[in-house]
Amino acid sequence: MPSDSRTAVAGQPVVETLTQVAEGGGDAPRARRRKHKLSPLAKREERRFWLFLLPWVIGFIGFGAGPLIGSIVLSLTNYSLLSAPKFTGLANYRRMFEDPLFYKSMANTAYFGIASVVLSVVFTLLIAILLNQNVQGLWFFRMIFYLPSVVAGIATALLWKNILDPDFGLINLVLGWFGIQGPGWLQSPQWSIAGLVLMSVWGAGNTIVIYLAGLQSIPATFYEAARLDGAGTWQRFRHVTIPMMSPVIFFNVITGLIGSLQAYVLILIMTGGPSSGSAGGPENSTLVIGLYIYRQAFQYYDFGYASALSWALFFVIMLITAIQFALAKRWVYYDGK
Amino acid sequence: MALATGVTATPGKQRVLRGGIYGMLVLGTVVFALPFLWMVSTALKASNEVFTFPPSFLPKSLHFGNFSDGWTVVPFTHFLINTVIVTGAAVVGNMVSCILPAYAFARLEARGKKVAFALMLATMMIPVEVTLVPTFIAFSKLGLVDTFWPLILPAWFGYAYFIFLLRQFFLTIPREYDEAARIDGAGYFRTLWSIVLPQSKPAIATVAVFAFVGNWNNLLGPIIYLRSQEKFTLAVGLQLFQGQFQTYYNQMMAVSLITLLPIIVIFLLAQRTFIEGANISGIGGR
């Protein structure tokens, strides 16, 4: 399975459907006929539906729901793979609330998540608008901005580890050209997360593609109308682009936040390898919750505690997503409303 | 279009605006491309030049040997074969197991369809970590840790993002087409194969490239499931340059560049379909 689930999202209709689903809508115009007894044809269609769905149903049970339940059970036990799980009730959760590293990792996660989402959502929107202009060599510009996200993975992490090196890295070299003494980045507790945020913005090409798709679906007539009304560039941006793009922005904020709250693989590589137990940066300054779960599970083999931590993360993500949906009513416009 | 949809009042103002757009594009391109150029530069440096202070942007002399040395000092040919096997099996699995449910969600009616669809959307919100540990334990009980199976099997059982994405594309194909085929006696599978799929080439290409990139770069799976070095994929193999005391950056960057090549080639080949394909709206039936 792809490591970065966000690679798979694209396009405006995704947003529309999500909102349809969120609003309890959906697309079953033909559902009415099901009130009557099913015809043989409809029965056949129904059997075919579930047959076609079979791979996903098995996957849902095997790799989704099953492990989900397993994880609840594990979180109530003490388990290290070597001996049978021992039921310990809520001990893991109690331990969690007394664990300073739990709070530290949650704070780090919040810092990284908010900074990287705010920066990438704003920054990539501006880039997407630039890439949507009618200029020469557009394909070249689009490729440059999109490529980093395609090559994302270990190469990105290792490359950025080098780029952020305080003495031998690119960023401080460039800063030096302007007479600025760069910080220690990954080697300094104050700057380590900032370095990771820079990397995440660099690799946000998927967000750009999604924005581009959204921009292209704004009818040109809207801009014509605004111009006839005497709206200038800024006003058209403010009153046409932003409202029309709000469902897409919303989508990018939601998926971006979910993604960055879960991010840790690249952080693991950059701040200590999987082989070393030191992952997490100086003074645990890059120990995000995902990394802490990885450390507990796959370095200390404390699966029970790792499961409890995962549930804390799950809970936080659900809570934040729910808040986002509630707030969305105030600023996200769906067409015609 | 968009921001500067713009013919502004005076031609002079317009020229300034266009100049500004180009200026920002070029500036952004430089900022985004610099890390790449740094990677190439590092790959060509001598070992003792990687860590000189102050660092130099251009290598003093070109060391193309880093490519061959890096590739052979760690058994990368072997890792490449592993990666091709895993990626190939996973991509085929992704395609088969996502196209079928996507078609069902887009075209067939059944009781429980809405619930199934909502559940599928919900799986996208579950953090990987939540299911990671029990899944690991299950594969461990099955004796499949340190084999390729944990990397390949899940790909054969549907992946919500791809199903969702494909469904969106399928919905844009006029229903009349496959209804006509159905009236002519084609079954659902036949309709999917000979009517829907040929019309969704951009969608299929997009998902195929996403799937290829995702599996080729997959890091989490191999890090967790692979233990013995001869089973490593390229992605984890690169880790071996990161020694306990020293990191061989020049060789690592050289080999990273080699491992990026297939992705870059595929991206360039698919560029047209890919970028346009991501713009789902307006594909329609052609």
Side-chain angles (χ1 to χ4, degrees):
Chain A
M1 234 186 295
S3 53
D4 179 4
S5 50
R6 287 175 65 198
T7 48
V9 193
Q12 168 92 332
V14 177
V15 180
E16 288 166 7
T17 313
L18 255 189
T19 56
Q20 268 180 18
V21 170
E23 288 163 16
D27 62 323
R30 298 196 292 165
R32 245 165 273 118
R33 73 172 186 213
R34 279 192 241 117
K35 281 180 183 156
H36 307 288
K37 212 169 154 34
L38 288 179
S39 67
L41 211 64
K43 257 189 201 150
R44 196 176 112 82
E45 185 172 336
E46 195 160 74
R47 276 201 303 273
R48 236 355 96 83
F49 174 85
W50 289 107
L51 184 69
F52 278 23
L53 220 58
L54 202 60
W56 177 76
V57 173
I58 298 174
F60 176 73
I61 296 167
F63 299 103
L68 206 64
I69 295 165
S71 145
I72 299 178
V73 174
L74 273 178
S75 76
L76 303 172
T77 66
N78 194 345
Y79 182 47
S80 67
L81 260 194
L82 296 173
S83 52
K86 216 171 25 223
F87 183 79
T88 55
L90 294 175
N92 284 324
Y93 292 94
R94 225 170 289 134
R95 174 179 163 196
M96 190 167 80
F97 287 113
E98 285 160 10
D99 180 358
L101 278 184
F102 167 69
Y103 293 105
K104 172 130 202 176
S105 64
M106 277 296 191
N108 288 340
T109 308
Y111 177 16
F112 174 74
I114 292 169
S116 67
V117 169
V118 169
L119 269 184
S120 20
V121 163
V122 173
F123 196 61
T124 52
L125 178 60
L126 295 179
I127 293 175
I129 288 172
L130 286 176
L131 291 178
N132 201 39
Q133 307 298 317
N134 190 15
V135 293
Q136 294 278 310
L138 201 57
W139 70 271
F140 171 77
F141 290 121
R142 285 186 178 177
M143 192 180 77
I144 291 290
F145 286 106
Y146 189 57
L147 264 181
S149 68
V150 180
V151 301
I154 201 158
T156 309
L158 300 178
L159 175 65
W160 276 82
K161 192 175 176 178
N162 180 273
I163 287 174
L164 292 169
D165 191 287
D167 297 324
F168 314 110
L170 172 68
I171 290 195
N172 284 1
L173 170 69
V174 174
L175 287 177
W177 293 344
F178 299 96
I180 301 168
Q181 166 75 48
W185 299 112
L186 297 180
Q187 294 173 24
S188 112
Q190 287 82 30
W191 286 91
S192 50
I193 294 255
L196 298 175
V197 169
L198 284 184
M199 176 179 73
S200 76
V201 173
W202 185 68
N206 279 307
T207 323
I208 298 178
V209 171
I210 295 171
Y211 275 141
L212 265 178
L215 286 171
Q216 282 169 5
S217 64
I218 301 178
T221 50
F222 285 28
Y223 289 108
E224 294 298 329
R227 199 172 301 125
L228 286 179
D229 288 345
T233 305
W234 166 252
Q235 284 172 317
R236 288 200 297 274
F237 173 71
R238 173 70 191 77
H239 297 292
V240 179
T241 309
I242 292 290
M244 289 301 288
M245 287 293 284
S246 61
V248 187
I249 298 173
F250 177 62
F251 180 77
N252 279 334
V253 170
I254 290 277
T255 55
L257 212 50
I258 291 177
S260 64
L261 293 181
Q262 297 178 29
Y264 71 95
V265 182
L266 296 190
I267 302 174
L268 173 74
I269 305 297
M270 290 179 77
T271 59
S275 47
S276 78
S278 67
E283 296 168 30
N284 287 315
S285 57
T286 66
L287 186 71
V288 291
I289 181 76
L291 192 52
Y292 194 41
I293 294 169
Y294 177 91
R295 186 193 276 183
Q296 289 296 338
F298 300 102
Q299 284 173 355
Y300 304 156
Y301 295 101
D302 193 342
F303 291 112
Y305 191 46
S307 299
L309 290 170
S310 323
W311 275 92
L313 173 61
F314 189 21
F315 178 74
V316 168
I317 289 181
M318 286 302 235
L319 193 70
I320 290 175
T321 310
I323 294 173
Q324 298 272 347
F325 268 94
L327 289 178
K329 292 196 182 92
R330 299 188 183 186
W331 66 276
V332 180
Y333 297 82
Y334 296 114
D335 60 342
K337 283 171 205 165
Chain B
M1 285 194 18
L3 167 66
T5 335
V7 209
T8 346
T10 62
K13 209 174 160 192
Q14 196 194 342
R15 214 177 304 132
V16 171
L17 196 62
R18 286 198 80 73
I21 290 168
Y22 270 111
M24 285 192 283
L25 272 177
V26 170
L27 182 70
T29 302
V30 169
V31 171
F32 265 66
L34 263 187
F36 268 125
L37 299 176
W38 182 254
M39 188 175 182
V40 175
S41 155
T42 308
L44 290 170
K45 283 178 179 172
S47 295
N48 57 12
E49 208 198 325
V50 176
F51 296 104
T52 50
F53 185 82
S56 55
F57 192 79
L58 295 175
K60 289 192 183 69
S61 53
L62 301 179
H63 293 259
F64 288 99
N66 290 337
F67 287 87
S68 49
D69 293 350
W71 189 264
T72 45
V73 75
V74 175
F76 272 107
T77 309
H78 198 82
F79 297 166
L80 175 68
I81 296 169
N82 293 345
T83 311
V84 168
I85 294 171
V86 170
T87 304
V91 169
V92 173
N94 275 147
M95 299 311 285
V96 173
S97 69
C98 293
I99 287 175
L100 291 176
Y103 176 71
F105 277 129
R107 284 294 197 264
L108 304 182
E109 292 303 329
R111 284 164 297 184
K113 173 174 159 174
K114 264 188 176 175
V115 176
F117 191 70
L119 277 178
M120 191 188 74
L121 287 185
T123 59
M124 296 198 291
M125 285 181 202
I126 302 170
V128 190
E129 289 80 5
V130 172
T131 51
L132 194 62
V133 171
T135 312
F136 175 81
I137 291 171
F139 276 120
S140 156
K141 294 277 180 222
L142 291 169
L144 294 178
V145 168
D146 206 23
T147 71
F148 292 155
W149 291 109
L151 310 179
I152 296 172
L153 268 184
W156 283 84
F157 295 104
Y159 182 52
Y161 275 98
F162 290 161
I163 297 175
F164 192 12
L165 187 59
L166 285 169
R167 169 187 177 269
Q168 298 305 112
F169 276 100
F170 292 165
L171 283 175
T172 64
I173 299 169
R175 223 175 237 280
E176 291 77 35
Y177 288 22
D178 44 329
E179 271 166 11
R182 300 265 306 114
I183 289 166
D184 287 347
Y188 290 108
F189 187 78
R190 181 73 196 273
T191 311
L192 166 65
W193 183 256
S194 46
I195 305 291
V196 175
L197 287 191
Q199 289 200 60
S200 341
K201 273 185 199 143
I204 306 294
T206 303
V207 171
V209 173
F210 278 161
F212 179 84
V213 173
N215 286 295
W216 188 267
N217 279 338
N218 184 10
L219 207 49
L220 182 59
I223 280 183
I224 286 174
Y225 290 109
L226 301 180
R227 294 291 147 91
S228 42
Q229 194 183 304
E230 74 265 16
K231 302 226 173 63
F232 278 10
T233 57
L234 291 172
V236 264
L238 286 171
Q239 274 290 313
L240 299 177
F241 285 113
Q242 220 172 1
Q244 204 171 352
F245 304 105
Q246 199 194 342
T247 298
Y248 300 89
Y249 266 102
N250 50 352
Q251 293 183 358
M252 177 157 52
M253 289 307 152
V255 176
S256 300
L257 282 175
I258 302 176
T259 69
L260 296 185
L261 280 181
I263 295 179
I264 292 176
V265 168
I266 284 192
F267 176 76
L268 287 177
L269 287 179
Q271 219 253 137
R272 260 192 84 81
T273 333
F274 198 39
I275 298 260
E276 284 170 13
N279 179 11
I280 308 177
S281 52
I283 281 185
R286 32 174 142 138

